[in-house]
Amino acid sequence: MLIPLAFIVVIAVADFLAPTSVHLGPLLVVAPALTASFGGPVMTGLIATVAVVAQVLVDALHGGVGGLNHQVQIASLLAVSSLVVVFRYLRDRHARQLIQVRSVSETAQRVILRPLPRGIGPLRIASMYLAATAEARIGGDLYAAARTAGGTRLLIGDVRGKGLASVSDAAVLLCAFREASHRHSTLPKLVAYLEGSVCRNLAELAETNTESSERFVTAAIIEIPDAEPVVHVIDCGHPPPLLLRRGEVSALEPHQTGPPLGLGELGAGEYIPQAFTFEPGDILLLYTDGVVEARDGSGAFYPLAERLPAWAGQDPEALVRLLHEDLVGHVGGNLNDDAAAIVVQRLPTGPLGRAPGPAVSPSAVTLSDAGPAGRRPRRPGRG
């Protein structure tokens, strides 16, 4: 409070020493306005009261407060100071409401997006979720992990659209994945079950929501066996995972991709997994389009594939932290879309067996060679 009080003293003394034809009293409103930037309504009101008292004293020393000019100055200072106090009160009330909203959304995030364990079998995992708005900590981006008898299954996806509808769709898919991962022995059967779950949910919503027919979920579902140096990938219209190996980045883009989940007959097709080599020490990065489509002030996309080689040798937790800081810095702290990512590293666990089928080497084309994220053209209407 010393700063606004010092302003009051300086302005009051200057006004007293100035000629009677010079009026510096109106500058006293600077004190309560400055206080409102860091203090609450009570502190702002106290400083405003001191400023009004100082104005009255200066006017009294200049010949009394009976003159019209002095009365107008005092009334103006009192009115503006009152407005500053009122707006400070409204700001504090809005801040309290925002804290409540964030608390509810954070609770929902912990329930729907469960924190991933740091270690699953021979894998070390770290995850990141960034919401596009300050009021909501969760949106349509989703991820999950499930431990099976012989390996680990991971899901990352992005629901078309925003708001509560997208959160509902994400919850349906996550619950279905966590349950079905332990019931279906093969990856194609698992993805087919997820497709059916999303379609059934959208069909139920269609009775009350006419826009449900335009909703779908892009997803990448992967399976990492414990005893084989491979990763099996099924891509349902999602950006392909990235593999970081000895400082080189490559995209794990299957030759055949499936349609997004939830399209029903429009996207009817067979889900075919493809195997890629995934050796001890390799790092796998799964992400949503909010990462690679984030733009800076000049409109340039975030160059994810170009940044990853510089972070080679980092563990998943450190890599996620670097990605978080770099992405936020790229967009200037203002994301236009939710962003999520999972970093997976295979740890050395002794000799690994050979894959039963031939593992396909990752594509040599990096994302920077194929436009933003090296991904396929977006489907019309994609959120």
Side-chain angles (χ1 to χ4, degrees), residues 283-304:
I283 288 182
L284 191 64
L285 174 62
L286 292 79
Y287 57 95
T288 61
D289 58 5
V291 176
V292 291
E293 293 183 358
R295 299 173 181 263
D296 60 10
S298 63
F301 289 105
Y302 180 69
L304 177 61

Side-chain angles (χ1 to χ4, degrees), residues 32-105:
L34 180 62
T35 306
S37 65
F38 61 83
V42 175
M43 181 183 296
T44 304
L46 290 175
I47 294 297
T49 301
V50 175
V52 172
V53 171
Q55 176 70 70
V56 172
L57 291 177
V58 171
D59 290 345
L61 293 175
H62 274 175
V65 295
L68 179 61
N69 185 44
H70 297 302
Q71 293 177 356
V72 170
Q73 290 186 42
I74 295 174
S76 299
L77 178 61
L78 184 61
V80 175
S81 298
S82 300
L83 288 175
V84 171
V85 173
V86 170
F87 279 112
R88 178 64 213 198
Y89 168 77
L90 295 176
R91 179 183 176 184
D92 283 0
R93 187 176 68 175
H94 174 70
R96 289 192 297 269
Q97 294 174 345
L98 183 59
I99 291 174
Q100 293 176 349
V101 171
R102 286 178 174 175
S103 177
V104 172
S105 61

